[in-house]
Amino acid sequence: MLTLASVFHGVNYHEDLNQVVVCITAVCLLLEVCYKFNSMVYQRANIKEAIQIVLDDRVYLEGPVEAAVCKKYDRLAKNLVYCSCVLYTFTCAVLIFYPVAAGLVKEQVLPVGCSIPFFDYTQHPWYMINYIMNATLIVLLAVMFAGLDGPFYLFVCHCAAQLEILILYASLIGENPDNPDEQRRIVGKMFDIHTRVSDFNSKCSRIFQDIFLSQTICSTIHICVSLFHVQFNSKSNSFGMALTNVCKMWLFCYGGEFIKTKADEFNNALYASRWYEQWIRRDLGDILFMMANAQRNYGFSVGGFRYLSYETFKEIMKTAYTCNAFLQHVLN
């Protein structure tokens, strides 16, 4: 209903370019959160299973090194969640309070392009009613986005912690050739952890691949439209929306790039180890399998087309800038 209200708002005030732009932003925002929420509800069984895997992990009990690694990535997960919450809170505050601070209330500017259908929001008391409705909607969307992003950061840090533990174990291969039983134990333990983290990463990638595709498309549109809005109306509050979408996609791409980097480091650590001193065929086979598997695409898929990475972030920004330049050319 809110999406239809935003569309109706844009159609009703189509002669005002400012209202059309903020309407497009509102529609994309609502569609993005609606699709993400429904997708995560549909995938709730898989998400619950993945979260339970993280909660049931007890690798930190196996030694001080493992405990230190797990603590490090627990702290990173909390920091990423805090950054996400601060980001959405900042956007929420800008959208709600900027019109008041900039004196745009006198011009009857709404925070977002959504108003109650069939009523002229410029008439008293409908402007204030619509302003309060917009503020409530913005707060609700900010809370939803912050809550829905949490599992992704949790999964990223769990995968990264497991891969770092594998890197530490890889450095022990061949360190004690006089104790083959210990070497076999290390390789067997590595193979078990590697299998579990590979399955977990694949499961998480399948859960989020359609969600990240929709977020990539919507964020590209948001960045393009927000930049366009700021350029033709210097008093607009779209700079907050543009900054938030840039930072949001950077955080997602950072998570994907982080996992890919850790997988590459694990592959390099295996190759640099003294694996050639393993004379048991089964252990050598396990090591070679882990080497080959670490070279495949670890990370989080974007619709099955590519993976979240800094390269993806660069393409998003390039596409948004190109579309913005095209809109500027058409307007001129």
Side-chain angles (χ1 to χ4, degrees):
M1 290 183 62
L2 290 172
T3 306
L4 292 176
S6 296
V7 173
F8 185 85
H9 179 87
V11 173
N12 198 31
Y13 301 99
H14 65 277
E15 295 181 357
D16 187 347
L17 181 59
N18 185 68
Q19 293 300 321
V20 172
V21 171
V22 294
C23 173
I24 293 172
T25 302
V27 170
C28 288
L29 185 66
L30 290 166
L31 288 176
E32 180 182 356
V33 73
C34 181
Y35 184 82
K36 185 171 185 177
F37 177 77
N38 289 326
S39 296
M40 294 189 74
V41 169
Y42 179 74
Q43 295 274 5
R44 63 187 181 278
N46 293 327
I47 294 175
K48 180 180 178 181
E49 183 182 350
I51 292 175
Q52 196 61 47
I53 290 173
V54 176
L55 296 177
D56 291 341
D57 183 65
R58 293 293 183 271
V59 69
Y60 61 88
L61 298 176
E62 297 182 8
V65 175
E66 290 85 350
V69 170
C70 291
K71 185 177 180 180
K72 169 186 172 183
Y73 285 99
D74 285 346
R75 187 164 56 249
L76 176 61
K78 292 177 182 177
N79 290 337
L80 290 173
V81 172
Y82 291 153
C83 287
S84 180
C85 292
V86 169
L87 190 63
Y88 293 125
T89 302
F90 168 77
T91 306
C92 183
V94 168
L95 292 176
I96 294 175
F97 297 113
Y98 179 78
V100 178
L104 300 178
V105 173
K106 297 179 181 179
E107 301 176 15
Q108 296 181 319
V109 174
L110 293 173
V112 293
C114 182
S115 62
I116 300 174
F118 310 113
F119 294 94
D120 187 357
Y121 78 92
T122 62
Q123 300 298 320
H124 181 78
W126 294 110
Y127 174 70
M128 187 56 62
I129 293 173
N130 280 284
Y131 199 101
I132 294 173
M133 183 195 72
N134 278 200
T136 305
L137 175 62
I138 291 167
V139 172
L140 179 62
L141 291 176
V143 172
M144 289 184 68
F145 270 116
L148 294 174
D149 289 350
F152 169 71
Y153 300 129
L154 180 66
F155 300 155
V156 165
C157 292
H158 177 73
C159 290
Q162 301 299 310
L163 287 170
E164 183 152 327
I165 290 172
L166 285 174
I167 293 170
L168 295 173
Y169 285 161
S171 63
L172 301 177
I173 296 177
E175 289 294 321
N176 192 8
D178 297 331
N179 192 348
D181 292 336
E182 176 65 16
Q183 292 297 301
R184 292 204 64 185
R185 187 188 70 81
I186 292 173
V187 173
K189 192 172 184 178
M190 287 180 61
F191 189 82
D192 180 57
I193 296 175
H194 180 264
T195 302
R196 285 190 282 110
V197 72
S198 297
D199 292 341
F200 181 80
N201 181 252
S202 298
K203 180 189 291 291
C204 294
S205 183
R206 288 193 300 270
I207 291 172
F208 286 103
Q209 64 176 0
D210 294 334
I211 294 173
F212 283 135
L213 177 62
S214 67
Q215 289 206 274
T216 299
I217 295 172
C218 289
S219 293
T220 302
I221 297 173
H222 275 144
I223 296 169
C224 171
V225 173
S226 298
L227 289 176
F228 175 75
H229 194 199
V230 171
Q231 286 173 329
F232 88 82
N233 183 5
S234 59
K235 291 185 177 181
S236 71
N237 60 355
S238 293
F239 65 89
M241 186 68 73
L243 178 62
T244 298
N245 279 280
V246 170
C247 294
K248 177 181 70 176
M249 290 311 302
W250 185 87
L251 283 172
F252 290 148
C253 291
Y254 165 78
E257 183 74 22
F258 195 46
I259 296 300
K260 291 178 64 178
T261 302
K262 284 295 176 184
D264 290 339
E265 289 178 4
F266 172 57
N267 180 44
N268 294 334
L270 272 178
Y271 186 76
S273 68
R274 291 192 283 183
W275 55 269
Y276 45 83
E277 294 188 5
Q278 299 294 114
W279 300 109
I280 301 176
R281 184 181 295 273
R282 180 178 176 180
D283 292 346
L284 282 173
D286 290 345
I287 292 172
L288 293 175
F289 173 80
M290 288 188 287
M291 279 184 180
N293 201 36
Q295 294 177 28
R296 71 183 182 87
N297 282 320
Y298 267 80
F300 293 87
S301 174
V302 180
F305 301 107
R306 61 188 310 158
Y307 284 79
L308 287 176
S309 63
Y310 290 150
E311 186 67 26
T312 303
F313 178 74
K314 184 178 76 173
E315 291 298 325
I316 292 171
M317 296 303 298
K318 185 187 296 184
T319 304
Y321 179 78
T322 302
C323 293
N324 176 59
F326 174 76
L327 289 176
Q328 290 290 337
H329 179 73
V330 171
L331 184 64
N332 293 332

